[in-house]
Amino acid sequence: MCITLSLSSKPCIGVCNGSLQLPKSMVTTAQTEVITAPKRPNTFPGLTKQGISDIDLRVQEVVRRQSWTNSLVREVNCRKSRFEPMFIDDAYEKCRNICAEYAKTFYLGTLLMTKERQKAIWAIYVWCRRTDELVDGPNAEYMSPAVLERWEERLQDIFEGRPYDMLDAALSDTVFNFPLDIKPFRDMIEGMRMDTRKSRYESFQELYLYCYYVAGTVGLMTVPVMGIAPESSVSAYTIYNAALYLGIGNQLTNILRDVGEDALRGRVYLPQDELAQFGLTDKDVFSRKVTEAWRDFMKEQIIRARSFFNLAEEGASQLDKDSRWPVWSSLILYRKILDAIEDNDYDNLTKRAYVGRTKKLLTLPLAYTRALSKPSLYLR
């Protein structure tokens, strides 16, 4: 689902003439901090070959189509935007305000990006948030298959230049300016459908597919906007996969953070077969009692989530240098959520792990330092 982060409304960061300035003391602190994830192998069975192939084919298709759009369509189709400049500027400003309010850490990370990329990322964020709120928002009680059908029709209209409202117009303009393919957006809507009809996942293969739909798709949407560093020597496919893995890792972290809250709604986003391996069932989740079996189970779940963040690093530093900061911010912050679960002695049944404002703020200079690294430094 969409990332919703909070941060102090008065961070010690300045923006002057379009440049973001960090206090030297914060940068020094960041340079001395090293983030490493355990290299222990995952003890759970992985995805089946077919499960991997299904996602692999989706990524290949998106890479092919977005690359094709970039190389051919934008050269042939030299239209001007159909929106009045003042109208579309207001539309993007609304998107900026929403992003700044609900995803403060991520928003600050976008401030080093070019203006066009900033606006595009804000527009994509807002669309994803609105899509998520159809299922999890204040009006979720009115959710029905017809609502998602209509939302998908609106998506098609957006891509064809017929926005329904101002926020849709911002995404429509973004589609005009960047080589975005509609498939990841449609797949996210499919993830919302899955959420309305499914509250249990028998295996990690099933959960992985869900995570792709609701979060991995965000990575595929944003790579064309972020851009790939000219000096990058790896394939676009590798970078798209890394973006996918960051989305998967973020969603797995959300799931682990929200186990207790989801249980109150009768939902268990944990692989049933893996619960059984530790002698656990849904009843143990609903009992909200932290046992040694639960701790052992959670330790392995956290290891797997971290492994996806390790894989995501392979792409974070391959992006255009002006786009790396928000990606590194997200990667580092979500790792810290996993740390917070451990600090709570794996009690995510009665406690919600969170990263305090000071720690969130400190992720920014650390992410900034990592974003300055040359693409080759973090490849394995």
Side-chain angles (χ1 to χ4, degrees):
M1 306 267 176
C2 297
I3 302 171
T4 53
L5 307 175
S6 61
L7 189 66
S8 170
S9 59
K10 298 181 180 179
C12 302
I13 294 176
V15 181
C16 300
N17 299 323
S19 308
L20 194 146
Q21 300 177 342
L22 296 168
K24 291 182 179 179
S25 60
M26 293 175 66
V27 175
T28 302
T29 300
Q31 290 173 334
T32 60
E33 183 173 345
V34 177
I35 292 184
T36 57
K39 297 298 188 290
R40 290 169 54 193
N42 185 357
T43 59
F44 289 134
L47 296 171
T48 65
K49 194 169 185 179
Q50 183 62 41
I52 295 174
S53 298
D54 288 345
I55 301 298
D56 190 61
L57 289 173
R58 285 186 175 90
V59 176
Q60 288 186 47
E61 180 184 355
V62 170
V63 173
R64 178 181 60 81
R65 291 174 67 170
Q66 292 187 154
S67 299
W68 179 85
T69 301
N70 190 37
S71 60
L72 295 178
V73 173
R74 297 187 71 200
E75 291 180 7
V76 174
N77 195 359
C78 299
R79 300 172 294 135
K80 291 185 178 180
S81 175
R82 67 184 64 192
F83 303 113
E84 292 293 331
M86 288 185 63
F87 169 80
I88 201 62
D89 285 347
D90 287 345
Y92 281 121
E93 181 64 14
K94 286 184 178 292
C95 292
R96 184 191 71 81
N97 290 336
I98 294 171
C99 188
E101 180 177 356
Y102 294 102
K104 292 182 176 66
T105 304
F106 180 78
Y107 168 73
L108 289 174
T110 66
L111 296 183
L112 285 185
M113 300 172 70
T114 64
K115 294 297 183 183
E116 288 304 310
R117 284 174 173 167
Q118 283 179 0
K119 293 189 293 186
I121 290 297
W122 298 336
I124 292 172
Y125 169 83
V126 168
W127 185 87
C128 291
R129 181 176 180 83
R130 295 174 87 188
T131 302
D132 179 65
E133 287 189 338
L134 294 175
V135 174
D136 284 339
N139 296 317
E141 60 184 296
Y142 302 109
M143 169 52 55
S144 70
V147 171
L148 290 174
E149 288 296 329
R150 174 58 188 139
W151 191 248
E152 190 162 7
E153 291 172 4
R154 277 181 61 169
L155 174 66
Q156 185 67 42
D157 289 341
I158 287 171
F159 270 75
E160 293 177 0
R162 299 190 302 272
Y164 179 79
D165 61 18
M166 185 174 279
L167 296 177
D168 284 358
L171 183 57
S172 191
D173 190 66
T174 294
V175 170
F176 171 82
N177 290 321
F178 293 90
L180 301 183
D181 186 67
I182 198 171
K183 183 172 178 54
F185 295 83
R186 282 180 171 158
D187 282 351
M188 177 172 277
I189 295 174
E190 184 59 32
M192 300 304 115
R193 290 194 181 97
M194 186 180 294
D195 231 0
T196 62
R197 61 175 181 250
K198 193 174 180 69
S199 60
R200 299 291 188 280
Y201 294 85
E202 293 302 319
S203 65
F204 181 66
Q205 182 180 353
E206 288 187 10
L207 184 63
Y208 182 88
L209 185 61
Y210 169 73
C211 290
Y212 160 75
Y213 278 132
V214 301
T217 49
V218 178
L220 305 188
M221 296 173 192
T222 54
V223 169
V225 175
M226 298 283 188
I228 297 173
E231 64 270 28
S232 175
S233 60
V234 304
S235 67
Y237 177 70
T238 298
I239 296 171
Y240 271 83
N241 262 331
L244 169 67
Y245 295 143
L246 178 57
I248 298 292
N250 286 354
Q251 186 61 24
L252 289 174
T253 300
N254 285 340
I255 288 170
L256 299 181
R257 179 195 63 195
D258 298 339
V259 170
E261 294 179 9
D262 289 330
L264 293 175
R265 299 188 301 158
R267 294 182 172 274
V268 179
Y269 292 96
L270 300 168
Q272 295 288 307
D273 59 349
E274 296 177 4
L275 281 168
Q277 289 180 35
F278 287 82
L280 300 168
T281 66
D282 287 354
K283 290 183 179 179
D284 295 289
V285 178
F286 296 140
S287 73
R288 300 165 68 84
K289 293 181 180 179
V290 179
T291 62
E292 284 306 312
W294 179 259
R295 291 186 181 92
D296 291 341
F297 171 71
M298 287 308 305
K299 288 175 184 177
E300 299 302 329
Q301 297 292 323
I302 289 173
I303 288 171
R304 178 159 57 200
R306 283 183 172 138
S307 72
F308 280 99
F309 291 138
N310 290 342
L311 293 171
E313 284 192 8
E314 298 187 6
S317 292
Q318 303 298 315
L319 298 172
D320 186 89
K321 62 182 179 63
D322 294 335
S323 301
R324 297 172 197 159
W325 197 23
V327 177
W328 275 106
S329 296
S330 176
L331 199 159
I332 293 170
L333 182 58
Y334 269 71
R335 277 176 164 161
K336 288 184 178 296
I337 294 174
L338 296 176
D339 294 343
I341 295 174
E342 293 175 330
D343 291 342
N344 286 340
D345 196 24
Y346 305 98
D347 182 3
N348 50 0
L349 296 172
T350 65
K351 299 178 181 178
R352 191 177 195 269
Y354 71 96
V355 180
R357 292 179 179 179
T358 300
K359 287 185 177 180
K360 280 184 181 179
L361 185 57
L362 288 174
T363 65
L364 292 171
L366 176 57
Y368 180 75
T369 301
R370 299 296 290 267
L372 295 176
S373 304
K374 294 181 180 180
S376 60
L377 293 183
Y378 287 97
L379 279 174
R380 291 182 177 82

